[in-house]
Amino acid sequence: MSAELETPLPLQMSDAAANKVKSLITEEENPELKLRVYITGGGCSGFQYGFTFDEKINEGDTVVEKNGVVMVVDPMSLQYLVGGSVDYSEGLEGSRFVVTNPNATTTCGCGSSFSI
């Protein structure tokens, strides 16, 4: 018997985020959908987080599975997200996916953009 060391994932997904993604995929009636998390330039702090559904996993993507849900991140975006987590929040600001990013030096008030 050999013991495999489990490598920690560079990006985590909370149960709340996985459950919300699962319900959205059920609504779309397409079990092939995966949550794609990405970073783009812009926003009030320089970079902003983006979320979309994608049916494919591209070469080089990091794949995170949780509760039967798949989240994918491209290599360029992952470098800004290492050590972070994706959560889902419902509150006074509305319902949204929230990224906790230890690499961000500043964030905007709404939490959807950041700078390094």
Side-chain angles (χ1 to χ4, degrees):
M1 277 195 194
S2 65
E4 285 187 38
L5 294 176
E6 193 168 311
T7 307
L9 294 170
L11 182 65
Q12 302 296 317
M13 179 171 35
S14 73
D15 286 332
N19 292 337
K20 183 59 179 180
V21 170
K22 188 180 282 189
S23 75
L24 291 170
I25 289 172
T26 300
E27 285 177 26
E28 290 295 317
E29 298 179 352
N30 183 352
E32 298 301 312
L33 292 176
K34 296 140 188 62
L35 177 67
R36 180 168 292 281
V37 180
Y38 60 93
I39 303 294
T40 59
C44 42
S45 295
F47 295 102
Q48 60 188 8
Y49 303 109
F51 303 92
T52 189
F53 282 112
D54 197 339
E55 290 185 348
K56 59 185 184 288
I57 298 172
N58 299 324
E59 186 176 335
D61 281 349
T62 295
V63 177
V64 177
E65 292 186 51
K66 177 100 177 208
N67 300 347
V69 170
V70 175
M71 177 174 68
V72 293
V73 184
D74 65 272
M76 186 65 75
S77 297
L78 184 64
Q79 67 182 336
Y80 298 108
L81 295 168
V82 169
S85 65
V86 175
D87 194 8
Y88 181 75
S89 166
E90 292 182 3
L92 294 175
E93 303 90 25
S95 304
R96 62 190 176 136
F97 287 100
V98 179
V99 176
T100 303
N101 187 349
N103 304 301
T105 55
T106 58
T107 59
C108 67
C110 66
S112 65
S113 71
F114 68 100
S115 65
I116 302 277

